[in-house]
Amino acid sequence: MQDLAGKHIVLGLTGGVACYKSAELCRLLVKAGATVQVAMTEAATRFITPTTLQALSGRPVFTSQWDAREPNAMPHINLGREADAVVLAPASADFIARLAQGRCDELLSLLCLARPRERVPLLVAPAMNREMWSHPATQRNLAQVQADGAIMLGVGHGEQACGETGDGRMLEPAELFEDIVAHFQPKVLAGQHVLVTAGPTFEALDPIRGITNHSSGKMGFAIARAAREAGAEVTLVAGPVSQPTPRGVRRIDVVSAQDMLAAAVAWAQAATVFIATAAVADWRPAARSGHKIKKDGSGRPPALDFVENPDILLTVAQGERARGGRLFCVGFAAESENLVEHARAKRERKGIPLLVGNIGPLTFGQDHNSLLLVDAGGVRELPRAPKLVLARELVAEIATRLPAASLP
Ligand code: CTP
């Protein structure tokens, strides 16, 4: 996916061992369609060579304000003016201190200070030892840099190159990349709290076995990511799936439909939008055996009784109506045929404003899908595309349908 097509990023490296991760970040940005201009401090060139970054970005790297390649001899002005964003990764403690003071005695700090602030955001990915990170001077400088308009991408926690463990390591390239992509998405859900259910549920028969379905959770996770990119606070109630948690999303893992119902009802209190993508098991075993059900030698399978699971979407939507609340509920329908008919009937049965239909066997486990949006006004198709693209389109559609009163 060319998530950054047409974007020009200045990638600034300062001195730190995390410079090796910036090579991968540069590659991810280029693969996503961005043009990348790398600028390095002298200290950064001690950790990784400009040649590596030139090869990956396809452009000569700038390391000095005295670089004669720019006809007007002003690389610090030109580089910042051309950019859609300046990304500092890694940003060392010293460089952050110098940003906080507005010092600019070399190219990268010069271009940060000289960039047109209202048009070119500064995204900062700090990297340092945990003691340096937690030092009051660093925290003071970080607060100042943020107050001056920079966007802090945060740090990771874990083992550090120095052998110590704690906060301060640079985020992984894939995490930084996700944050940079999110930065460019329109904030159509700013101020909203979106609750998403995703994945299958698992209904245990005994400690070993149970019934479930083929839902991978990909669509629900893509929607959670798209809602977060659009500026919402997002809570994702996930059945048993192996998807990575989207950046900045609160994930609540559940197993059974009853667990999912309890989590959804609790989080719906604070939510303004509820998107039910989960493929909830319709039935569960009436009783769960405390031990593995063994063959009894008769050759006959055990007699199993099932009871219907609660309908999570219906319960939340009805509860909301009873409270006179404003939660905007969106359902999904996985069908195998007659999609429009079933989707229309399901929307009315569940009493919700928007229902999204898809063909189950064409979506489960796939990276692509197509969606059918059914509301009171009619039917609209979102043609086959990667799930994240569809998720962003769906989020934009939901934003246009929210009552004006629920907008911040
Ligand atoms: N859903 C739910 N709880 C259930 C069943 C479904 O929250 N116990 C939600 C799904 O997350 C989805 C919508 O209801 O948003 C429709 O799910 P689907 O399984 O397609 O429909 P059902 O209501 O189960 O109806 P049917 O069995 O007739 O297809």
Coordinates of all heavy atoms in Angstrom, one line a residue, residues 1 7 17 29 32 89 95 112 125 154 162 179 188 220 247 255 332-333 336 346 352 354 363 383 403:
M1 N 0.8 -1.2 0.0 CA 0.0 0.0 0.0 C 0.9 1.3 0.0 O 1.8 1.4 0.8 CB -0.9 0.0 1.2 CG -2.2 -0.7 1.1 SD -3.1 -0.9 2.6 CE -3.3 0.8 3.0
K7 N 4.2 12.2 -0.5 CA 4.7 12.9 0.7 C 6.3 13.0 0.7 O 6.9 12.1 0.2 CB 4.4 12.2 2.0 CG 2.9 12.1 2.2 CD 2.2 13.4 2.5 CE 0.7 13.3 2.7 NZ 0.0 14.5 2.4
V17 N 22.9 4.9 19.3 CA 23.0 3.5 18.7 C 21.8 3.1 17.9 O 21.8 2.3 16.9 CB 23.4 2.5 19.8 CG1 22.3 2.3 20.7 CG2 23.9 1.2 19.1
L29 N 9.5 4.0 4.7 CA 9.0 5.3 4.2 C 9.0 5.3 2.6 O 8.0 5.6 2.0 CB 9.7 6.5 4.7 CG 9.6 6.7 6.2 CD1 10.6 7.8 6.7 CD2 8.2 7.0 6.7
A32 N 6.6 2.9 1.0 CA 5.2 3.4 1.1 C 4.9 4.6 0.2 O 3.9 5.3 0.2 CB 4.9 3.8 2.6
A89 N 14.7 10.8 14.1 CA 14.7 9.4 14.7 C 16.1 8.9 14.4 O 16.4 8.6 13.2 CB 13.6 8.6 14.0
F95 N 20.3 16.5 21.6 CA 19.6 17.2 20.5 C 18.3 17.8 21.0 O 18.0 18.9 20.6 CB 19.4 16.3 19.3 CG 19.1 17.0 18.0 CD1 20.1 17.6 17.3 CD2 17.8 17.3 17.6 CE1 19.9 18.3 16.1 CE2 17.5 18.0 16.5 CZ 18.6 18.5 15.7
C112 N 15.5 22.5 11.7 CA 14.3 22.3 12.6 C 13.8 23.7 13.0 O 12.6 24.0 13.0 CB 14.7 21.5 13.9 SG 14.9 19.8 13.5
A125 N 11.3 11.2 17.7 CA 11.4 9.8 18.3 C 12.6 9.7 19.2 O 13.7 9.4 18.7 CB 11.4 8.8 17.1
G154 N 7.0 9.2 21.4 CA 7.1 8.3 22.6 C 8.4 7.4 22.5 O 9.1 7.5 21.5
C162 N 23.0 -0.6 26.4 CA 23.9 -0.5 27.5 C 23.8 -1.7 28.4 O 24.6 -1.8 29.4 CB 23.7 0.8 28.2 SG 22.0 1.0 28.7
D179 N 3.0 5.4 13.1 CA 2.7 6.7 13.6 C 2.8 7.8 12.6 O 2.0 8.8 12.6 CB 3.6 7.1 14.8 CG 3.3 6.3 16.1 OD1 2.3 5.7 16.1 OD2 4.1 6.4 17.0
V188 N -11.0 13.0 11.3 CA -12.5 13.1 11.2 C -13.2 12.6 12.5 O -14.4 12.9 12.6 CB -13.1 12.4 9.9 CG1 -12.6 13.2 8.7 CG2 -12.7 11.0 9.9
G220 N -11.8 -6.0 11.8 CA -12.0 -5.2 13.0 C -10.8 -4.5 13.5 O -10.8 -3.4 13.9
R247 N -1.3 0.7 17.0 CA -0.7 1.7 17.8 C -1.7 2.6 18.5 O -2.7 3.1 17.8 CB 0.2 2.6 17.0 CG 1.4 1.9 16.4 CD 2.6 1.8 17.3 NE 3.1 3.2 17.6 CZ 3.7 3.4 18.8 NH1 3.9 2.5 19.7 NH2 4.1 4.7 19.0
V255 N -12.5 -14.3 25.5 CA -12.5 -15.6 24.8 C -14.0 -15.9 24.4 O -14.2 -16.1 23.2 CB -12.0 -16.7 25.8 CG1 -12.2 -18.1 25.2 CG2 -10.6 -16.5 26.2
F332 N -22.1 -5.5 11.4 CA -21.6 -6.1 10.3 C -22.4 -7.4 10.0 O -23.0 -8.0 10.9 CB -20.1 -6.6 10.5 CG -19.1 -5.6 10.0 CD1 -19.0 -4.3 10.5 CD2 -18.3 -5.9 8.9 CE1 -18.1 -3.4 10.0 CE2 -17.4 -5.0 8.4 CZ -17.3 -3.8 8.9
A333 N -22.6 -7.8 8.8 CA -23.3 -9.0 8.5 C -22.4 -9.8 7.5 O -22.0 -9.4 6.5 CB -24.6 -8.7 7.8
S336 N -23.6 -15.6 3.2 CA -23.1 -16.4 2.1 C -23.8 -16.2 0.8 O -23.3 -16.5 -0.3 CB -23.1 -17.9 2.5 OG -24.4 -18.3 2.8
K346 N -31.4 -7.4 8.6 CA -30.6 -7.4 9.8 C -30.5 -6.0 10.4 O -30.6 -5.9 11.6 CB -29.2 -7.9 9.5 CG -28.5 -8.6 10.7 CD -27.3 -9.4 10.2 CE -27.7 -10.9 9.9 NZ -26.5 -11.7 9.6
I352 N -30.4 -0.5 14.1 CA -29.2 0.3 14.1 C -29.2 1.2 12.8 O -29.8 0.8 11.8 CB -27.9 -0.6 14.2 CG1 -28.0 -1.6 13.1 CG2 -27.8 -1.2 15.5 CD1 -26.7 -2.4 13.0
L354 N -26.7 1.9 10.7 CA -25.8 1.5 9.6 C -25.4 0.1 9.8 O -24.9 -0.4 10.9 CB -24.5 2.4 9.6 CG -23.5 2.1 8.5 CD1 -24.1 2.3 7.1 CD2 -22.3 3.0 8.7
T363 N -14.1 -13.0 2.7 CA -13.4 -12.1 3.6 C -12.6 -12.8 4.7 O -11.5 -12.3 5.0 CB -14.3 -11.0 4.2 OG1 -13.6 -10.3 5.2 CG2 -15.5 -11.7 4.9
P383 N -15.9 -0.8 -3.2 CA -15.4 -1.9 -4.0 C -14.1 -2.5 -3.4 O -13.5 -1.9 -2.5 CB -15.0 -1.3 -5.3 CG -15.3 0.2 -5.2 CD -15.9 0.5 -3.9
P403 N -24.3 12.5 14.6 CA -25.1 13.7 14.9 C -24.2 14.8 15.3 O -23.2 14.6 16.0 CB -26.0 13.3 16.0 CG -25.4 12.0 16.6 CD -24.6 11.4 15.5

